[in-house]
Amino acid sequence: MARAQVLLMAVALVLMLTAAPRAAVALNCGQVDSKMKPCLTYVQGGPGPSGECCNGVRDLHNQAQSSGDRQTVCNCLKGIARGIHNLNLNNAASIPSKCNVNVPYTISPDIDCSRIY
């Protein structure tokens, strides 16, 4: 489950960084984890990402509408990543493009979430 959380963190971070501000939607780490779990296999070096993974990424991207939501998702993902030791960062970073979600930032556990607006 910790690996799923790391994957979720990476995808959620990318989505938060690119989501346009809209009506506020309060997101939490449980929601981020849930949306990103289908991406776990791919983030660990497996095939994918699956359609279910991409659907979760798109949903999270659409839900992270405010700066606060995007920063929350970012911080959730960073926390999840701390517990994963075999995360394939290249696969994690490629999820947005492979899922056709436009994210102008690279997914990284080192990102400064306070700079996300």
Side-chain angles (χ1 to χ4, degrees):
M1 184 161 177
R3 291 180 178 159
Q5 292 173 336
V6 172
L7 171 62
L8 294 178
M9 181 184 105
V11 175
L13 174 60
V14 171
L15 296 176
M16 288 188 332
L17 293 173
T18 61
R22 296 178 194 110
V25 173
L27 291 172
N28 61 52
C29 292
Q31 293 167 313
V32 172
D33 182 61
S34 177
K35 295 288 183 188
M36 300 308 299
K37 278 185 182 178
C39 302
L40 179 61
T41 300
Y42 181 64
V43 171
Q44 292 176 316
S50 67
E52 189 177 359
C53 169
C54 289
N55 288 339
V57 169
R58 282 187 211 100
D59 287 348
L60 193 55
H61 176 73
N62 291 333
Q63 291 174 5
Q65 298 176 354
S66 70
S67 295
D69 286 339
R70 291 185 291 275
Q71 289 175 356
T72 295
V73 173
C74 178
N75 284 306
C76 291
L77 292 177
K78 284 182 76 167
I80 292 166
R82 289 184 187 118
I84 307 289
H85 297 289
N86 63 340
L87 173 67
N88 182 318
L89 289 175
N90 290 330
N91 282 11
S94 73
I95 289 173
S97 64
K98 289 188 180 257
C99 292
N100 296 314
V101 176
N102 186 16
V103 178
Y105 302 93
T106 301
I107 297 173
S108 167
D110 299 322
I111 192 160
D112 180 355
C113 297
S114 70
R115 298 182 143 228
I116 297 171
Y117 296 100

